[in-house]
Amino acid sequence: MFEERFIASRICNSIFGVLLWINTPYQFSKKINGSGGFYTFNSQGANPTFGLIIGYMMGFSYFMVITNAILFTTGVFIPGTISYFLGINIGTYTWIPMMTAFIVILAIIAYLGIKPSLAYSFIASVIEIALLVITSVVIIVALGSKNTLAPFTPAPADGFAAVAVGMVLAIFSMSGSSAVVTLGEEAEQPRKNIKKALLISFLITGVVFVLTSYALTVGWGVSKMSTFFQSSVPGLIVADKYIGLPFTILLFVFIINSLFAGSLAPLNTSSRMIFSMSRDGLGPSIFSKVHPKYKTPYIAIITMAGVAYFVSLVAGILIGPYYGFLYLVTASSAALFIGHILSNFGLGATYKKLKEFKILTHAVIPGAATIILAVAMYYSFVPPAYPVDYAIITAVVFIIISAVLIIIYAKKHPEQIKNAGMTDLEVQSEIYKKE
């Protein structure tokens, strides 16, 4: 589709895009926090109907992250690794029992509470980051004089469309830092710590992404990068070449661990968003139930996990794990980007309402982020290609239908719609009283 000659440069461009991107949740979290995240931000900041639309949009996106992550891990990554290193085809449908075990363990950890989930995710992330840094440094040192600045060349190899595709994928990969905003109810001193978490997670992710992408580019060979994505496990192939099989096996284990943690985060996020909306009376009431012992929205967690498994299963069976993954990840990214773009407008409206509006942080930066996202999305999705076109249609149809239904509901129940995000604010008020 395009030559990946300048992957490191695209990562750098994407870091700039994400830096602008996280300004919106960062600015929102100064004033508003809660389990609803972007739903609460926009409902209580800009407009209840507007916020509810974004809530369902972002909930859809986070939900689809679960589906594409579990399908990629069990249907693409694990079979691809076994096939390359052992020469064994594990079978067409072996991914199904693996995915079943994967989602069950995910649901159990999420069910047991946010602290075990975060502790597991933190430990897994620290170990993975350490392994990636070690791998990258070893590759760079081994290459010696063969290191080059070519991967950082800003000139695109195949026009701006190729750069846009790379930016969208990289931005989507680094966008997880904004999911922390849904932990406003469980975090201590949320107005202080949520902002810190946003910045710290972004900085760590950005540095590791640049280092790793550069090492993989020069390790694979700058002139050979057109073949990089023809492999399902290019990173492990490069690691095996420079570090050896034992370390590569260790890296494989922790990549699986990381993918698991990366599936757990959106499960926590999406379940808390639907919990928050239901608690406000704007979603099925059963999702507002909290476990008496673990204090988790356990019904929402179990439901999200079950439906995610079903969607992944259907996608994998109908079009295969690889194309199923592409379909699901594209639908997720489309909804996520549209939700962030709308939230950029919601940020300005919020601070105007508070009479604290600042041109730079509430208009210029959100506007720049919107332009970058819009241009990148356009060049990524035009011309459409299978299964991207169907994924975009799915996301847009969901957004339109949910928006129409919410607007109709708001007109029929104007008093009820005012509750959007209200419970989150009440909970936050109690938290601040105790501090």
Side-chain angles (χ1 to χ4, degrees):
M1 182 171 61
F2 55 85
E3 187 176 359
E4 284 292 339
R5 188 182 305 163
F6 303 111
I7 186 171
S9 177
R10 288 168 191 173
I11 293 290
C12 289
N13 291 336
S14 302
I15 288 175
F16 177 71
V18 176
L19 179 60
L20 298 179
W21 166 301
I22 66 170
N23 172 72
T24 292
Y26 181 86
Q27 297 298 330
F28 266 129
S29 63
K30 288 181 177 181
K31 301 294 182 181
I32 305 169
N33 290 284
S35 297
F38 286 91
Y39 155 68
T40 303
F41 289 163
N42 289 283
S43 295
Q44 287 299 307
N47 176 272
T49 303
F50 181 74
L52 188 58
I53 291 172
I54 291 178
Y56 276 98
M57 193 183 307
M58 299 295 280
F60 172 83
S61 175
Y62 292 133
F63 166 79
M64 294 298 273
V65 173
I66 309 170
T67 63
N68 72 65
I70 62 176
L71 185 56
F72 171 78
T73 304
T74 58
V76 179
F77 184 71
I78 294 178
T81 301
I82 294 174
S83 175
Y84 179 83
F85 287 97
L86 300 179
I88 299 174
N89 185 339
I90 63 174
T92 306
Y93 296 106
T94 313
W95 58 272
I96 296 178
M98 288 194 294
M99 189 173 75
T100 304
F102 203 83
I103 196 68
V104 168
I105 298 172
L106 273 177
I108 291 173
I109 294 177
Y111 183 94
L112 293 177
I114 197 65
K115 288 187 177 180
S117 297
L118 291 180
Y120 167 77
S121 297
F122 176 76
I123 294 171
S125 298
V126 169
I127 296 174
E128 184 205 1
I129 288 170
L131 291 174
L132 288 175
V133 170
I134 291 171
T135 303
S136 301
V137 171
V138 169
I139 293 171
I140 293 170
V141 171
L143 285 169
S145 61
K146 294 182 181 179
N147 282 286
T148 173
L149 293 176
F152 297 99
T153 304
D158 289 317
F160 188 77
V163 176
V165 173
M167 285 182 64
V168 166
L169 293 174
I171 289 174
F172 181 77
S173 298
M174 289 186 280
S175 65
S177 57
S178 64
V180 72
V181 297
T182 60
L183 300 180
E185 196 164 312
E186 285 100 342
E188 295 182 4
Q189 297 181 318
R191 287 183 182 171
K192 177 182 178 181
N193 291 325
I194 294 297
K195 293 185 297 181
K196 283 185 178 179
L198 277 166
L199 291 177
I200 292 172
S201 61
F202 161 72
L203 290 173
I204 294 174
T205 302
V207 171
V208 174
F209 264 53
V210 171
L211 178 65
T212 306
S213 61
Y214 171 76
L216 291 179
T217 301
V218 294
W220 188 272
V222 176
S223 62
K224 301 176 183 177
M225 285 304 287
S226 59
T227 64
F228 187 83
F229 284 98
Q230 293 176 9
S231 169
S232 59
V233 288
L236 293 180
I237 294 173
V238 175
D240 181 45
K241 177 181 177 181
Y242 289 92
I243 303 181
L245 187 59
F247 188 88
T248 302
I249 293 173
L250 181 65
L251 187 62
F252 166 76
V253 171
F254 278 98
I255 289 175
I256 295 294
N257 198 51
S258 174
L259 290 168
F260 185 88
S263 306
L264 180 61
L267 177 57
N268 280 325
T269 301
S270 59
S271 60
R272 276 160 178 74
M273 288 191 76
I274 192 68
F275 159 76
S276 181
M277 291 185 283
S278 299
R279 187 170 58 177
D280 290 332
L282 299 169
S285 59
I286 191 170
F287 294 142
S288 64
K289 292 181 178 291
V290 177
H291 194 281
K293 180 179 179 180
Y294 301 116
K295 308 301 179 183
T296 54
Y298 67 107
I299 299 295
I301 289 171
I302 293 172
T303 303
M304 284 291 177
V307 177
Y309 173 79
F310 176 76
V311 171
S312 301
L313 185 66
V314 171
I317 291 175
L318 291 182
I319 58 179
Y322 176 71
Y323 284 111
F325 160 70
L326 288 181
Y327 168 81
L328 296 170
V329 75
T330 304
S332 177
S333 61
L336 181 69
F337 291 168
I338 295 172
H340 264 277
I341 288 173
L342 292 178
S343 293
N344 288 338
F345 290 101
L347 177 66
T350 297
Y351 273 86
K352 282 186 176 179
K353 184 184 293 186
L354 295 172
K355 297 181 179 179
E356 298 180 22
F357 182 80
K358 296 179 181 178
I359 293 293
L360 179 62
T361 53
H362 307 140
V364 175
I365 294 178
T370 296
I371 292 171
I372 290 174
L373 285 175
V375 172
M377 286 176 63
Y378 175 81
Y379 281 105
S380 297
F381 303 144
V382 177
Y386 177 84
V388 171
D389 45 1
Y390 293 106
I392 297 169
I393 292 171
T394 300
V396 171
V397 167
F398 175 86
I399 291 170
I400 292 174
I401 291 176
S402 60
V404 169
L405 292 177
I406 289 169
I407 291 171
I408 292 173
Y409 180 86
K411 289 183 177 180
K412 291 184 177 181
H413 307 278
E415 293 303 315
Q416 184 66 32
I417 204 73
K418 292 179 181 179
N419 292 330
M422 187 65 71
T423 309
D424 272 350
L425 288 193
E426 293 173 355
V427 172
Q428 287 299 299
S429 178
E430 292 299 317
I431 290 174
Y432 296 138
K433 286 179 181 179
K434 297 176 182 179
E435 292 179 355

